[in-house]
Amino acid sequence: MGMAEGVGVEAAGTHRPTVFISHASQDAAVAMAVVRALERAGLTCWIAPRDVVPGAHYAGEIVRAINECSLVVLVLSAQSVVSPHVGKELERATSKRRPIIALRMDEAVLPHDFEYFLSESQWIEAGAAGIESAAAKVVEAVRSHRMASAAGGPETPVTVHAATMAHRTRPRRGAVLALATVLAVAITAVATWKLGFDRPSTPATPPVASGTAARTSVAVMPFANLTGDPAKEYLGDGMSEELLNVLAKVPGLKVPSRTSSFAYKGRNTDLKQIASDLQVGTILEGSVRSAGETIRITAQLIDARTDTHLWSETYDRKFTDLFQLQDELAKAIVRALQVNLNGASPDAVAQAPPTRNVVAYDLYLQARALMNTGGRREFAEAMTLFKRALALDPTFAAALAELAVLRLNYVVLGYPLPHALRDAEREADQALKLNADLAVVQTVHGAIHSFRGEWLQADALYKAAISHDPGNVGIRGGYATAVLLSVGHLQRSLEQRRESYRLAPAVSYVLSMLAVDYSILGRDSDARRFSDLAVQLGMRADVVPIPQIYANAALRSGHPAEAADYIVGVLPAGLREAGGEAVVRAAYVALGDPGRRPAASDALQNLLRTVQSDALPVNTRKDMIALFTQLGSLDRAYALANQSLDLYAREGSVGTAWGVLWLPEMRPFRQDVRFQSFAARLKLFDYWKAFGPPDGCDLQEDRIVCH
């Protein structure tokens, strides 16, 4: 049968179908039995050839029907698994995020692409009961799905058989994020959920753009990986990101940043919700398949207001023609949006590829994917891949910039790497000479200056990067964490967090960092609320900074034992093996009993002596500074704080993300006479003289007085 072997009720174009039935021509009798059962139940169907409008383009009618349907029913058989037309229908349905119900007629072995397409589908076994009985099960499944969708809840499984397959996306690993080390996420981020409350201090989200105005804004979604190999997830991400970068340079076209749009990856979020969140009128989505030296890209542009496609196309090219394919795609998208681009020519999107070496580009994409997982082993593999890419093309500016970002992540997370700052600065300088438009380079330089305590230079570089790319929440997050929190400008940091949230309301780390700021400000209700949302959007509840935020809230509400539960869960292995859990619990209990504090402080000091100071994770060291302060042991708090600065000084640094200094619990630390010299070691006074003292403090000549 033609490309779509599917099912419907009325002539195409009369009503939107509820169900599209995909089937091989040999299974037409079974398919029509399913149609009759569904239509008797009052459900609208679309099937070819019955519902193809006479004289219309056959394949175009099928694409339109899939785009407009609510779900797809597949008659799965030995005939359908070898039908290229059925395969294309499933690929289209998957790219449109249409739920699939598979009616399995036999035990045919599924090819890899079918396994992928059906990885999240509902399955029904026809069995020996007959076609009518199987059709009745399909009706039940469709009804259950529609009821669940109407209620806004998860789909209700009604399958008799479920296949064990690979999930569509690779599970995300937990990254190491701490109240004192969240900068790593913000730096890496450079390179749905309907919220149940108003976004703080931001206007209500405008409705999805309508009419021709909808075509001046487009969100580029991550392309689905249909290769059947989870390790090739980076191909779709790379294609999407390059298209996003190209389209963002088109005059008059608004394109949300990668961080904003990629937040919806792997989540079954309604396109209208995505468009509303990101304040765009159109959505670009697609898929990537590869076989040998050939790559197939399918892309479609969706009007978010009407959920109808404005344009779609499939391209088959050799991988060596990837850059040419990206140009073709970008130009085709501009043509589809031409009416509102102020006469811009499709040629306006043409630009030089990031490298002329496709192999180097492939290595670069793999390295980016590894770096974003955040693990030490993955970091090492990513560094090797970046270096291999640069060996093939030493002028590959983006690879140089990302290698510099990777080195900074080593510094932030406390992973040993000799000369990390020096080498990162050299690579960033080289990248800037090759490509002055790379905003990430300004961010790298800003982060390096902040690590060295050169706060004024860091501030200027981050502001320049934000001006260059105002929609990039990673840059805003880096500025807030690396500069504003460290210098104690808490309200200015909060402004950046809230703007990031407005731009990317579905990014879990944006929510978690907003929660960090609220926690430092002592606004625990807001901090917990945003932490909860971050967890609901995929952040692990046992990965910092979430435990610290919950611990702060528990302690401030008079529940020290509950606070200890959160903190002991993130103790490093070395302290845990040395009996750290009992010691930390005793310290938190002592916070509510002043008589126990001296003994608890002694036990905590003895615990820290069991590990080398330079082996203590950055976040743990700063947590212990705060805990000693709360126990009234300021001598030990300052000894540990200065020891930390001594360790950083080996790399010519003052450390990273000193937001811990401005917690309400750190007031005794700030009011101690030694805070003057400590602030001087952090080189903060020049910044305070230029931009004002930290919140809650006064600058009196060369002294800082905190209230």
Side-chain angles (χ1 to χ4, degrees):
M1 218 169 156
M3 170 191 159
E5 294 155 347
V7 183
V9 165
E10 298 158 299
T14 305
H15 293 292
R16 289 174 63 101
T18 298
V19 183
F20 178 97
I21 308 270
S22 178
H23 69 290
S25 57
Q26 297 92 330
D27 297 322
V30 175
M32 287 308 301
V34 171
V35 170
R36 288 192 294 270
L38 289 167
E39 291 180 348
R40 284 196 300 267
L43 297 163
T44 306
C45 301
W46 196 100
I47 185 169
R50 185 191 74 174
D51 298 309
V52 176
V53 174
H57 184 263
Y58 199 93
E61 287 288 280
I62 289 163
V63 168
R64 185 193 59 76
I66 294 174
N67 288 345
E68 293 184 355
C69 75
S70 298
L71 56 84
V72 172
V73 170
L74 165 67
V75 178
L76 183 59
S77 69
Q79 291 75 34
S80 63
V81 298
V82 297
S83 167
H85 309 300
V86 172
K88 290 178 181 178
E89 291 167 6
L90 295 183
E91 181 174 345
R92 173 69 59 173
T94 301
S95 69
K96 284 291 294 178
R97 300 182 178 89
R98 296 297 184 258
I100 300 173
I101 297 172
L103 174 59
R104 184 153 193 171
M105 305 303 299
D106 52 39
E107 295 300 320
V109 177
L110 303 189
H112 290 311
D113 54 351
F114 270 61
E115 287 186 354
Y116 181 81
F117 296 143
L118 302 178
S119 63
E120 297 177 3
S121 67
Q122 298 182 33
W123 283 45
I124 296 171
E125 295 283 1
I131 297 303
E132 295 303 324
S133 176
K137 292 177 182 178
V138 172
V139 173
E140 179 187 353
V142 173
R143 279 176 167 169
S144 296
H145 176 85
R146 284 170 58 79
M147 289 174 63
S149 298
E155 294 178 13
T156 304
V158 294
T159 61
V160 178
H161 167 78
T164 302
M165 302 178 184
H167 283 289
R168 185 174 308 173
T169 54
R170 184 177 179 182
R172 182 179 178 185
R173 296 183 55 175
V176 181
L177 302 174
L179 191 62
T181 62
V182 292
L183 183 58
V185 180
I187 294 173
T188 302
V190 174
T192 326
W193 182 262
K194 182 65 176 175
L195 302 178
F197 50 90
D198 292 335
R199 294 171 185 163
S201 297
T202 59
T205 302
V208 175
S210 61
T212 56
R215 302 192 182 190
T216 59
S217 56
V218 58
V220 181
M221 309 309 293
F223 280 26
N225 170 29
L226 303 186
T227 64
D229 181 0
K232 291 187 177 181
E233 191 81 17
Y234 69 90
L235 283 175
D237 290 353
M239 174 60 72
S240 305
E241 186 166 5
E242 285 303 319
L243 285 172
L244 187 153
N245 293 336
V246 171
L247 293 172
K249 297 179 181 179
V250 176
L253 185 61
K254 171 191 172 185
V255 184
S257 72
R258 178 192 191 278
T259 306
S260 301
S261 57
F262 274 47
Y264 301 92
K265 182 175 179 179
R267 294 165 48 199
N268 188 24
T269 307
D270 181 75
L271 291 183
K272 288 186 178 180
Q273 182 62 52
I274 295 174
S276 176
D277 285 349
L278 302 183
Q279 301 177 35
V280 297
T282 50
I283 303 285
L284 176 68
E285 57 182 10
S287 62
V288 177
R289 298 177 71 180
S290 64
E293 298 299 317
T294 302
I295 186 170
R296 167 177 285 182
I297 302 292
T298 298
Q300 57 185 3
L301 198 61
I302 309 298
D303 185 322
R305 179 178 58 89
T306 61
D307 197 25
T308 57
H309 77 289
L310 302 171
W311 163 87
S312 64
E313 190 58 78
T314 297
Y315 300 83
D316 290 306
R317 297 287 189 277
K318 290 185 177 180
F319 190 78
T320 52
D321 297 328
L322 183 62
F323 299 135
Q324 179 184 348
L325 172 57
Q326 290 171 346
D327 276 346
E328 286 184 47
L329 264 170
K331 289 176 183 177
I333 294 162
V334 168
R335 289 190 190 99
L337 300 171
Q338 186 73 25
V339 291
N340 281 319
L341 289 179
N342 301 319
S345 166
D347 292 335
V349 303
Q351 65 176 28
T355 174
R356 296 290 179 182
N357 191 307
V358 177
V359 176
Y361 181 68
D362 188 63
L363 293 169
Y364 162 82
L365 292 180
Q366 293 181 57
R368 283 284 308 271
L370 285 167
M371 184 172 70
N372 288 336
T373 64
R376 185 170 176 176
R377 180 175 62 83
E378 288 81 8
F379 278 12
E381 293 177 15
M383 184 165 289
T384 298
L385 292 172
F386 278 134
K387 290 180 177 179
R388 285 175 58 192
L390 288 164
L392 293 171
D393 180 4
T395 66
F396 193 171
L400 280 165
E402 292 298 339
L403 181 55
V405 169
L406 178 58
R407 293 190 193 278
L408 294 188
N409 285 344
Y410 270 87
V411 175
V412 171
L413 294 174
Y415 299 156
L417 184 67
H419 314 302
L421 286 182
R422 184 195 67 188
D423 291 343
E425 186 172 35
R426 171 178 51 80
E427 287 151 358
D429 287 340
Q430 291 174 353
L432 194 60
K433 290 177 182 177
L434 293 166
N435 185 347
D437 291 331
L438 285 174
V440 65
V441 176
Q442 291 175 310
T443 306
V444 169
H445 277 123
I448 291 172
H449 281 294
S450 73
F451 295 163
R452 291 174 175 164
E454 297 162 352
W455 304 106
L456 292 173
Q457 297 95 317
D459 191 276
L461 285 163
Y462 271 112
K463 285 177 179 174
I466 291 172
S467 177
H468 181 80
D469 191 1
N472 192 316
V473 298
I475 296 175
R476 290 183 182 277
Y479 179 43
T481 303
V483 178
L484 299 178
L485 273 189
S486 292
V487 303
H489 282 216
L490 308 183
Q491 292 298 330
R492 289 176 63 204
S493 176
L494 183 61
E495 289 172 7
Q496 293 296 330
R497 306 293 195 201
R498 288 157 78 143
E499 178 62 12
S500 294
Y501 174 48
R502 186 187 68 80
L503 293 166
V507 178
S508 60
Y509 96 80
V510 168
L511 291 164
S512 71
M513 292 312 304
L514 185 53
V516 165
D517 277 33
Y518 280 130
S519 184
I520 293 175
L521 287 164
R523 295 174 56 175
D524 294 313
S525 176
D526 289 324
R528 286 196 64 111
R529 181 169 59 179
F530 281 100
S531 294
D532 290 344
L533 284 170
V535 171
Q536 290 166 0
L537 287 174
M539 180 166 279
R540 283 174 45 187
D542 61 341
V543 173
V544 289
I546 301 298
Q548 282 93 338
I549 293 169
Y550 288 152
N552 288 344
L555 188 62
R556 293 166 186 168
S557 62
H559 299 92
E562 180 184 345
D565 288 340
Y566 290 114
I567 296 301
V568 298
V570 293
L571 280 179
L575 292 184
R576 188 181 298 276
E577 293 166 1
E581 181 173 340
V583 172
V584 171
R585 288 188 184 280
Y588 271 86
V589 170
L591 294 179
D593 185 350
R596 297 186 179 185
R597 291 179 185 176
S601 177
D602 290 343
L604 191 62
Q605 180 77 349
N606 291 333
L607 173 67
L608 296 182
R609 289 190 180 120
T610 64
V611 296
Q612 294 290 330
S613 59
D614 57 356
L616 198 64
V618 172
N619 55 300
T620 303
R621 190 181 300 121
K622 291 179 180 177
D623 288 342
M624 295 301 105
I625 293 171
L627 188 51
F628 275 130
T629 298
Q630 292 173 85
L631 288 169
S633 299
L634 285 175
D635 289 348
R636 286 169 173 164
Y638 268 101
L640 188 55
N642 280 297
Q643 183 187 77
S644 298
L645 287 182
D646 293 341
L647 292 171
Y648 293 135
R650 297 177 186 176
E651 280 282 336
S653 169
V654 298
T656 63
W658 279 101
V660 66
L661 296 176
W662 313 106
L663 286 164
E665 291 78 8
M666 290 290 286
R667 184 174 289 108
F669 189 95
R670 297 192 295 272
Q671 292 177 335
D672 189 274
V673 66
R674 286 167 287 191
F675 189 61
Q676 306 304 315
S677 59
F678 189 77
R681 288 195 71 184
L682 285 174
K683 307 178 184 179
L684 291 170
F685 281 96
D686 285 345
Y687 189 92
W688 289 338
K689 289 176 182 177
F691 290 105
D695 296 359
C697 302
D698 295 320
L699 188 62
Q700 299 176 358
E701 297 183 353
D702 290 330
R703 285 184 55 80
I704 194 72
V705 178
C706 296
H707 309 294

